[in-house]
Amino acid sequence: MYVDDGQLTDLVEAKSAVQSAVQTFFERMGMALAADKRKELDVEGLFRGIQHDLSHIDKNGAISFWPRQEILDEISKQLDDMEKSMTCTPAEASKLRGVLGFTAQAQFGQLGRAYMRPFRQRMYTDKAPFTISDTMRMAISFVRMLMA
């Protein structure tokens, strides 16, 4: 099991008992977790590129979570490259959709699906030349607005 294969949320009242039990389980199975990859319990954590903060749990049990800054920087770079070259190949659209789809879950919920259609169209139906369409330009603008 690697550091990003699982995430454990342990109540303060448990005093790390759950985390300790999981470590003991893996040790007894002969697959001890690497000590240098463990992260001690904290109110803030990172799991699969999504940062979360348990210090501000609201009355409904909701927590705050967001993509880590490096992912947002990668999206900005991809968008900058597209706007600079004024092109977007099907492969570039696929890569962008992958990163956007992942971050949309952490930032915008279903709203993140709204700007995906022009990139999906580029991947599956558009033919060369692969210049940026008006709908792609609007989608890029929408992504930038949401990220701001």
Side-chain angles (χ1 to χ4, degrees):
M1 183 166 172
Y2 295 97
V3 69
D4 62 351
D5 286 343
Q7 159 145 14
L8 182 63
T9 302
D10 204 351
L11 298 174
V12 173
E13 293 82 10
K15 298 181 177 142
S16 302
V18 175
Q19 191 176 51
S20 177
V22 169
Q23 291 172 8
T24 300
F25 169 79
F26 277 100
E27 286 168 6
R28 291 192 178 167
M29 295 294 294
M31 301 179 294
L33 301 174
D36 61 333
K37 293 189 177 186
R38 286 189 201 140
K39 183 177 184 313
E40 292 305 314
L41 293 177
D42 195 357
V43 294
E44 202 170 285
L46 180 66
F47 181 62
R48 295 189 183 233
I50 304 298
Q51 192 75 30
H52 60 273
D53 183 355
L54 302 174
S55 66
H56 302 300
I57 296 176
D58 73 12
K59 63 183 176 189
N60 298 319
I63 64 168
S64 300
F65 56 96
W66 58 95
R68 71 178 207 268
Q69 188 59 46
E70 293 84 0
I71 294 174
L72 297 175
D73 293 344
E74 174 62 25
I75 292 170
S76 289
K77 182 185 179 316
Q78 288 182 31
L79 296 177
D80 289 345
D81 291 348
M82 283 180 194
E83 288 181 316
K84 185 176 178 182
S85 70
M86 293 302 291
T87 63
C88 177
T89 66
E92 292 167 332
S94 176
K95 182 177 179 184
L96 181 64
R97 275 189 68 214
V99 178
L100 285 175
F102 176 72
T103 59
Q105 293 175 5
Q107 284 187 309
F108 319 118
Q110 296 298 316
L111 185 59
R113 294 176 60 198
Y115 50 74
M116 295 286 197
R117 180 166 285 152
F119 299 105
R120 186 172 45 248
Q121 177 182 329
R122 177 58 47 99
M123 288 170 60
Y124 297 114
T125 61
D126 285 354
K127 305 288 183 222
F130 295 119
T131 56
I132 292 180
S133 67
D134 289 339
T135 55
M136 289 177 121
R137 226 182 323 276
M138 288 186 281
I140 289 170
S141 179
F142 188 61
V143 170
R144 289 193 189 277
M145 180 199 62
L146 289 175
M147 287 176 54

